[in-house]
Amino acid sequence: MKHKFRWTAMIASGVLALSLLAGCGGSPANDGTPAAVPEGPQGEVANEIPDGALVIAEQGMFSSGGTVTEPVAGDYDATTNWLDAARPGNTAHVGHANVLYQIPAESTGLPMVFLHGYGQSRMGWMTTPDGREGWDTMFLRRGHSVFLVDQPGRGEAGAATEMTMDGMLDTWAEDSKEYKPGDQAWYTHFRIGRVAPERYEGSQFPEGDEAQNQFFRQMTPNTTSFDQAACAAALGEVMADVKAMTGQKSIFVTHSQGGAVGWDVPVENIAAIVAIEPGGTPQPGSEQYQRLLEANIPIVVYFGDYIDNGPEDIQSTGFWKMVRDGALAFVEQYNADGGSATVVDLPKEGITGNSHFLFQELNNDVIADHVEAWIQANVN
């Protein structure tokens, strides 16, 4: 088991207290013992936990998977070190996933591993554009340990051997380091509204300029070209590390592009998959499909609103219909072959107004309850 940065005996209320992760107030002493309990206003020990507080038994960060490059040709010279631009003798640790985790004091459920989608990082699970609780905190309150991943080449797992060359898809122009704007394009494609800042009628997306500003500033570019196989391999290592830490398989929660990665992750440490609007689902009979079926992985796929009722002149409407209908066909065959899978079309459940980012919207707690009910009914 690899060493991990850990903090213990923490109390968090609401959104994750980032100051704790920087080693500020409340960190354990250097000898590993918990820090002293703070005193109250009259000097008395404040040992009562406030109502609604979330008690965290352990939290920390670690990296999983990845490779080490071969040394650059030549001998390393410690006297010049970074001043030698050729970097002879140097190696680089690349291709890993980075994980932020929290384990609640009263852990009652299976651990949950969360993987972001395109242009995103783990931040999307941690808060909302208007600053409410994200799904990580909501599921901690439901007794699950949470493990929030930045995939290789994204966020805090950005170390790579070369810049991205994904061209049209990515935020870096092809063959250069020039940044390529995309706020409006992704806003439309994610079904928040036709053109920013407007929202679709009945939208659950948080309203106001500041919420939109915060949402756009979540977007995080790739540092290297997207490699689904490398991401899946790194997530397999994450799952193995979580199993070693907790003794349990994980509920794997994926979103969008992360959903495509999720179908390729080794299955031995996965208890179930919750796919939030994945970019696609496995083709029945494919290697992906057979591996999931043989492992008897229960699967639920969620879709939001503005698909059947989306603007017909926007190409993305047709794209999301195709993805949703493909998921319905996948689920039908998966169940016919003896598996257990469900598509949850939220509008048909009476839950309306959700975009591609349904876990960040005004009713994200309602949808979290729906997910938890599915877990309790379908996962042993």
Side-chain angles (χ1 to χ4, degrees):
M1 185 66 182
K2 56 177 67 65
H3 292 292
K4 297 174 172 62
F5 298 101
R6 294 181 176 176
W7 297 263
T8 55
M10 300 295 187
I11 298 176
S13 180
V15 179
L16 174 66
L18 294 179
S19 61
L20 296 178
L21 297 182
C24 299
S27 298
N30 290 335
D31 62 1
T33 59
V37 177
E39 292 185 350
Q42 304 301 322
E44 70 273 14
V45 175
N47 57 4
E48 291 189 7
I49 298 174
D51 290 341
L54 175 60
V55 182
I56 302 300
E58 181 181 323
Q59 65 182 19
M61 299 179 75
F62 62 92
S63 294
S64 295
T67 60
V68 181
T69 62
E70 292 295 322
V72 175
D75 295 327
Y76 175 66
D77 185 346
T79 64
T80 56
N81 51 77
W82 64 273
L83 294 171
D84 187 342
R87 302 290 174 87
N90 277 264
T91 61
H93 286 64
V94 298
H96 51 272
N98 183 268
V99 184
L100 167 65
Y101 74 94
Q102 291 184 295
I103 298 174
E106 297 185 8
S107 180
T108 59
L110 293 170
M112 301 178 74
V113 173
F114 291 83
L115 177 62
H116 56 77
Y118 171 78
Q120 297 288 303
S121 68
R122 58 170 158 254
M123 180 181 177
W125 304 109
M126 298 170 70
T127 187
T128 65
D130 55 342
R132 291 171 294 109
E133 283 191 349
W135 268 17
D136 69 327
T137 307
M138 290 183 180
F139 284 101
L140 281 165
R141 293 187 185 282
R142 289 164 173 81
H144 296 278
S145 299
V146 300
F147 294 77
L148 309 174
V149 179
D150 278 352
Q151 72 181 22
R154 191 81 59 78
E156 293 190 72
T161 57
E162 61 183 20
M163 288 288 293
T164 180
M165 298 289 287
D166 282 344
M168 183 192 75
L169 178 65
D170 221 308
T171 50
W172 301 105
E174 190 172 4
D175 297 329
S176 80
K177 294 183 180 181
E178 182 181 351
Y179 195 78
K180 184 169 59 179
D183 287 353
Q184 286 71 24
W186 293 114
Y187 188 92
T188 302
H189 185 62
F190 294 151
R191 308 192 321 278
I192 299 169
R194 183 178 182 87
V195 180
E198 72 178 51
R199 303 177 307 153
Y200 287 128
E201 183 179 354
S203 173
Q204 294 283 351
F205 191 85
E207 189 174 10
D209 293 343
E210 183 55 25
Q212 292 216 349
N213 177 57
Q214 290 296 318
F215 173 76
F216 283 132
R217 294 188 188 284
Q218 290 180 8
M219 297 295 289
T220 305
N222 288 327
T223 55
T224 189
S225 298
F226 176 68
D227 185 332
Q228 184 162 312
C231 289
L235 264 293
E237 295 295 330
V238 171
M239 296 295 175
D241 285 341
V242 173
K243 176 67 178 301
M245 290 177 67
T246 67
Q248 295 178 295
K249 297 182 179 181
S250 294
I251 306 292
F252 190 15
V253 185
T254 65
H255 178 231
S256 195
Q257 185 187 60
V261 175
W263 309 126
D264 278 344
V265 173
V267 296
E268 57 265 25
N269 295 309
I270 298 176
I273 294 176
V274 178
I276 308 299
E277 294 211 353
T281 42
Q283 184 68 30
S286 66
E287 182 179 345
Q288 280 183 329
Y289 179 90
Q290 290 301 131
R291 187 172 60 251
L292 293 163
L293 186 64
E294 291 170 8
N296 196 29
I297 303 292
I299 297 168
V300 62
V301 186
Y302 281 82
F303 289 96
D305 210 339
Y306 313 112
I307 296 177
D308 290 321
N309 56 341
E312 294 185 1
D313 64 330
I314 291 178
Q315 293 183 12
S316 296
T317 300
F319 171 82
W320 289 112
K321 284 182 179 178
M322 177 187 68
V323 171
R324 194 274 317 278
D325 292 347
L328 288 168
F330 159 75
V331 163
E332 182 179 7
Q333 189 61 51
Y334 196 78
N335 290 331
D337 289 338
S340 175
T342 304
V343 167
V344 177
D345 193 334
L346 288 173
K348 293 181 179 179
E349 300 278 321
I351 302 172
T352 60
N354 290 109
S355 75
H356 188 52
F357 284 83
L358 52 91
F359 52 91
Q360 288 200 312
E361 296 181 305
L362 299 175
N363 60 348
N364 64 343
D365 56 337
V366 174
I367 303 171
D369 284 340
H370 198 290
V371 172
E372 180 65 19
W374 181 86
I375 292 172
Q376 295 302 322
N378 292 275
V379 187
N380 297 324

